[in-house]
Amino acid sequence: MERVFNFSAGPSQLPLEVLEQAQQDLLCYPGAGCSVMEMSHRSGSFEEIIHNTEATLRRLMDIPEDYAVLFMQGGASLQFSAVAMNLAKQGQTTNYAITGQFAGKALEEGKRWTNAKAITSSKADTFSYIPKITPALIDPDAAYLHITGNNTIFGTCYNTLPDTGDVPLVADWSSAILGKQIDVKRHGIIYAGVQKNMGPAGMAVVIIRKDLLKREVDPIVPAMMRYKLMADNGSMYNTPPCFTIYMTGLVGQWVEKQGGIAAMEQRNAEKAGILYDTIEQSQLFHNPVAKEDRSIMNETFTLPTEEETKAFLKMAEGRGMINLKGHRSVGGCRASIYNGMPKEGIEALAQCMKDFENGLRK
Amino acid sequence: MERVFNFSAGPSQLPLEVLEQAQQDLLCYPGAGCSVMEMSHRSGSFEEIIHNTEATLRRLMDIPEDYAVLFMQGGASLQFSAVAMNLAKQGQTTNYAITGQFAGKALEEGKRWTNAKAITSSKADTFSYIPKITPALIDPDAAYLHITGNNTIFGTCYNTLPDTGDVPLVADWSSAILGKQIDVKRHGIIYAGVQKNMGPAGMAVVIIRKDLLKREVDPIVPAMMRYKLMADNGSMYNTPPCFTIYMTGLVGQWVEKQGGIAAMEQRNAEKAGILYDTIEQSQLFHNPVAKEDRSIMNETFTLPTEEETKAFLKMAEGRGMINLKGHRSVGGCRASIYNGMPKEGIEALAQCMKDFENGLRK
C-alpha cells in the first residue's frame, strides 16, 4: 500500500523526510550504538537530543529567556488540570473562554480545583465564531484566563489575542503550534499536545513564564504535575518520553529547513485558502465559520445531506485521502491540514470537491 | 557504528527483531497508508493495534477477566499518585514497604494524599535485602499495601509475594514485568512503566482488579488520573501514546514467540546465573544482595576502589558494553539484563569481568 493524504486531526500526517530520518536511525542512532528508544535518558546522546529539541523550539518560536520549556506526559488533557493546580489556590477564581469541546473540557478540569467561570461562550452558535474578550469580562483577581487558541473540531482560531491585562493568559495551542506565528510574550503559559503538528502522540510541550513557577502549589498536587519540579529537573524528574522528544526535535528541524514558522504560516494560509475558495465558489459545500475567525489548520465543511457526505468521503478515500470525516460529536467533514500536509494533498482534495459537485462520483 | 550490548536500567535494550519490524513499517503500516505515528487513534487500524496489545498482555500474563488493563501516560511516577488518589480517601491510612529509592518515592507521593506509613524498610542495610512482611505489620484498615516488586537500583526482588489478607496488594513491577512470572491474582493493582522490559519510554501499564474501580474518588482528582474513566474509555479518554502502545504490542508478540513468560524467566535466570556465578567465583567483584532476594533483571556489583570501577567500565565500553555504571545515587556497577539482552551479551560481560580480574585491561 502507498502512503495516502491523511487529513486526520491528530495524530496526523508527519513530513515524509522526518519519518525517513527516523527510519534510517531506528536501529542505531549515530554514535550511540542503540536506538533512541533504547537510550538511557541520562546518556550523553539523549542529553544532546533533549537539549537540541528545546533549543530548536526556542529559535523557531522566539521564546524569551524568562520562559521555561517543559516536556510533559499526559497530553493537553493533563495540562487542563496542571494549569489549575499550579497557578491557582484551591477555590480561587479562574476564567475560561468557551470556544469548543476542548475548551469545555479544560473548564471541567479547572472546576475540580478552582472556582472556574466561563466568562464567554459561542456554544449557542455551535462554536462558529470566536467571541470577543473585553477587559470588562475578566475577573481582575482571576488566577488566569484560559483560551483554546485553535479549535480543532470547529475550525476556528484566535487570529488576534485578547488583552488580559495583569491576568496571565493561558492558551492551549495544540492544533496550531509551529503552524502559525504565536507571540509567546503575550502568554503566561502556552501548552500543546504534540500529536497534531509536532510529533507522535504522548507528550505536551509547556512554555511557561518563569515568574509563574514561583506560585505556591498545594502539597496535595502530584509531583508529576508540578511545573517547578519539571523545570528544576529539565523535564527529567522521571524517565521522559524520549522517542517523542526526539521526533519533536526532528519536526522542529524540518520546520527550520522550510524557512521557519513565518514561512510555514504563509504556506498553510495558502493551502487553507485553496480550500476556503473552493467552498466559497461551491453551491454544495458549506463552511459555517465567521471569516475573521477561520483556522488555517482545520477546515470544517458540510454537504446538504448525510447521504452526500458519505458519498463524498467514500470518493475521497478512493482517491487516497483519508480521515476527512468530521469529529464524531459534530459530523460533516473536516480537513486538518497541518505542516505535514503538502500542497498536493490540498489540490487533490479541492479537485475532488469540484468533481463531486460536478457529478463525478469516483 | 555497530549496535552495542546496552545494559541500561531503562530505557533499555529492545529485541532487535522488534526494532526491525518497527523500522520496516515506519513509513507505512500495512493497510493503513500511513505510519503508526500518524494514525488517528479512532481509526480501525489503531483500534486493532491497541486491542491486540491488550490481548497479548492478557495471554502472556494470564490476566483474569475481572482485571482491567489500562495504558496511561506519566510512567510509574504518575502511578505513585494515581494509586493513592484512586484507592484511598484523603487522609486514609495506607501502607508501604520500603525497599529502595522508587519505593521511597511512591511513599512520598502517597503522603500527599493519604496517611502513608512505611511499615518496614531495609534502608539501614542499604536495601540489600527484602524485609519480610508479616500480617502483624499491616494495618487492617489500610486502603492498600504498596511494594516495589523488583528494585532496579539495588538488584533485589520479591521472589515470594507477601500475604496481605483483605488489604489489596499494589505492586510496581516496572523492572520485571514480562521478564518473570507474576501471579496477577495475588494483586489488587500491578503497574509498570514500559521503558524497561516492554517498550520505549512514555507509558505505564496498569492492571487493576475491577472491584477497585468502584471505590469513590474525590472530585478534586484530575480526569487523566482516574482509573475508572480510563477503563470506561478503553484507555482512550484522550489521545493515547499510540506508537508506544504499538511497540509494547510488538514486544509482547516477540515474548510469545520466545515461548512466553515462563520461557523468558528461565532464560533470564540462566543469564543472571552466569553473572552471579562469575561474581561468586571472583575475589574482585562483590554483590551485596541476600541470595534469596536476588533479582534476575538487575545485578549490582562493586569493585574495591573507585579507580578500579572506572577502569572496568572503560574496558567494558571498549568491548561494546555500555551503561554498566551503577545508579548515580549508589555508584558501583549494575547490569540490567532484561528480555532484550541476549545471552551473548551476558557471556561477553562475564568474560570481561574475568579478564579484568586476571589483569587484562582492554
Side-chain angles (χ1 to χ4, degrees), chain A residues 3 14 23 27 38 73-74, chain B residues 3 14 23 27 38 73-74:
Chain A
R3 279 175 61 81
L14 292 165
Q23 184 180 44
L27 301 192
E38 303 174 295
Q73 293 184 54
Chain B
R3 279 175 62 80
L14 292 165
Q23 183 181 44
L27 302 192
E38 304 174 294
Q73 294 185 53

Side-chain angles (χ1 to χ4, degrees), chain B residues 340-360:
Chain B
M341 174 60 64
K343 196 176 165 188
E344 295 74 47
I346 305 297
E347 287 166 343
L349 175 57
Q351 192 58 52
C352 185
M353 291 165 81
K354 285 173 194 159
D355 288 348
F356 187 85
E357 188 160 0
N358 291 331
L360 228 151

Side-chain angles (χ1 to χ4, degrees), chain B residues 94-147:
Chain B
T94 55
N95 286 175
Y96 287 78
I98 307 304
T99 52
Q101 187 171 308
F102 288 104
K105 284 195 170 190
L107 173 69
E108 290 312 311
E109 291 306 301
K111 280 182 177 170
R112 294 187 184 280
W113 187 255
T114 73
N115 174 28
K117 293 192 213 168
I119 59 164
T120 184
S121 171
S122 50
K123 188 176 183 184
D125 289 292
T126 329
F127 302 118
S128 61
Y129 71 101
I130 298 288
K132 294 285 161 284
I133 299 173
T134 58
L137 286 174
I138 304 171
D139 285 304
D141 60 342
Y144 56 82
L145 166 66
H146 182 280
I147 65 168

